[in-house]
Amino acid sequence: MGHIENRFVFEQIPELVNILHVGAGSHSAAIDCEGRFFRWGKGVKGSYLAPLKIASPRPIFIDHVSTGKDFGIVKNRNGELFTYGINAEG
């Protein structure tokens, strides 16, 4: 985590604790027990190496994430779906 070069050993991500769900595609994402959403890796239109907490205009309490090529979909506890990323990719 936080390295540009490839790694072939497990590394703990100290910024992320109490994680309930993870997703991985062209980028990675995680949801913690409080419904906060983090993403990292090859970013949507760029790169970010450290986990980045993603905010929402209103609390949505995310409980599931699926990532794809330059986009992602999250589901909240009420079963509503939200998307992010490049529209042409998903």
Side-chain angles (χ1 to χ4, degrees):
M1 192 67 204
H3 306 285
I4 294 174
E5 67 277 355
N6 292 331
R7 296 290 178 132
F8 299 101
V9 297
F10 291 112
E11 289 189 44
Q12 184 176 5
I13 304 171
E15 298 91 344
L16 299 177
V17 295
N18 299 317
I19 298 301
L20 297 178
H21 187 78
V22 296
S26 62
H27 64 287
S28 300
I31 301 162
D32 72 9
C33 65
E34 295 180 22
R36 293 178 294 197
F37 175 66
F38 301 85
R39 66 180 186 183
W40 67 96
K42 178 184 176 283
V44 176
K45 289 288 191 184
S47 294
Y48 38 90
L49 297 174
L52 174 66
K53 181 181 173 203
I54 307 301
S56 171
R58 63 181 173 89
I60 58 174
F61 304 103
I62 297 168
D63 67 1
H64 189 83
V65 61
S66 182
T67 59
K69 183 180 182 301
D70 298 324
F71 75 99
I73 300 171
V74 297
K75 180 185 78 66
N76 71 6
R77 295 176 187 167
N78 296 329
E80 298 172 304
L81 297 177
F82 301 85
T83 63
Y84 63 90
I86 299 174
N87 291 336
E89 298 294 343

